[in-house]
Amino acid sequence: TTPIVTSTNSPSIAPMVTSTNFPSTTPIVTSTNSPSIAPMDQYRCTDRNGNWVIGKKERAWCFWAKKGGDTEIPTRCALKKLYKDCPETCASSDRVGKWTIGKKTRNWCIWARKEGDAEIVNRCEMKNIYKDCFETCVGCVSCSDKGDQWSIGRKTRNWCVWARKDGEANISSRCDQKKLHDDCPKTCGDCA
């Protein structure tokens, strides 16, 4: 189900999300009685549904990003700046290590958190680090499986695909057997 964003009577950094037992096509966003640090509807943790316009083209951009296959997704997401609208498709957790922006090299995700929650939104905007610091800047962990192959023991394969290979009934035991929960949260049923 898609979350419904609820209102509060006090300032907040990000929306409070409550689940419902009925589906909706888009989050329902209500305003607060007090100012918040970031606009209530600025971030989402699930891919945007339906068509919207970028430039002069209208299409379902999250679907378009996936259409090129796993190897094309990063390029397409970067080309159309889809990280906020298509987090499940485009993003992952925070980047590890240091990288250079302008003339400075540091871990920009740590830098974004350095001044506390109140400054995260401003710092992420200032350096445009949503892609690299998704978990920090958007406030939710992407729930998508690893798309490439990796080794466990002497075997290399896409283990998320392997976990699904023998059907629904065996997924849980396969995820436990190979400890796939971190790499295959969607397949293993670990998404909130």
Side-chain angles (χ1 to χ4, degrees):
T1 63
T2 303
I4 293 178
V5 180
T6 59
S7 65
T8 63
N9 291 323
S10 58
S12 60
I13 294 168
M16 294 177 3
V17 178
T18 10
S19 296
T20 63
N21 292 326
F22 56 90
S24 59
T25 56
T26 57
I28 298 170
V29 180
T30 55
S31 61
T32 61
N33 295 330
S34 312
S36 56
I37 293 165
M40 291 292 286
D41 61 348
Q42 185 172 0
Y43 306 116
R44 58 187 314 111
C45 297
T46 57
D47 281 356
R48 185 174 174 179
N49 291 323
N51 293 349
W52 71 95
V53 177
I54 296 179
K56 293 182 179 182
K57 291 191 178 184
E58 181 179 337
R59 60 172 54 149
W61 290 100
C62 300
F63 176 76
W64 172 84
K66 294 177 200 172
K67 201 163 95 174
D70 289 342
T71 57
E72 285 296 310
I73 288 173
T75 304
R76 287 174 174 234
C77 290
L79 180 68
K80 296 298 180 182
K81 298 180 180 152
L82 298 173
Y83 301 101
K84 288 183 191 177
D85 289 311
C86 308
E88 290 176 298
T89 298
C90 298
S92 60
S93 57
D94 285 351
R95 183 173 175 177
V96 178
K98 296 178 180 183
W99 69 98
T100 303
I101 296 177
K103 294 181 180 180
K104 294 195 177 187
T105 301
R106 59 176 54 143
N107 182 310
W108 291 96
C109 305
I110 293 171
W111 171 85
R113 295 188 303 266
K114 191 174 183 178
E115 298 297 322
D117 289 345
E119 283 300 308
I120 289 174
V121 172
N122 294 333
R123 286 178 164 230
C124 292
E125 286 285 336
M126 182 188 327
K127 296 297 181 181
N128 192 22
I129 54 176
Y130 291 97
K131 172 186 171 191
D132 293 309
C133 304
F134 183 77
E135 188 173 348
T136 292
C137 296
V138 179
C140 59
V141 178
S142 173
C143 191
S144 56
D145 291 346
K146 223 173 165 179
D148 56 350
Q149 295 187 357
W150 71 99
S151 297
I152 295 178
R154 294 183 183 180
K155 296 199 177 197
T156 301
R157 60 177 53 141
N158 182 312
W159 290 96
C160 303
V161 172
W162 173 85
R164 295 188 302 265
K165 185 178 177 184
D166 285 342
E168 284 289 319
N170 296 315
I171 291 174
S172 182
S173 62
R174 285 181 160 230
C175 288
D176 292 342
Q177 177 189 356
K178 296 294 183 182
K179 296 178 175 68
L180 299 176
H181 295 275
D182 288 339
D183 293 313
C184 311
K186 191 171 186 177
T187 293
C188 296
D190 296 320
C191 299

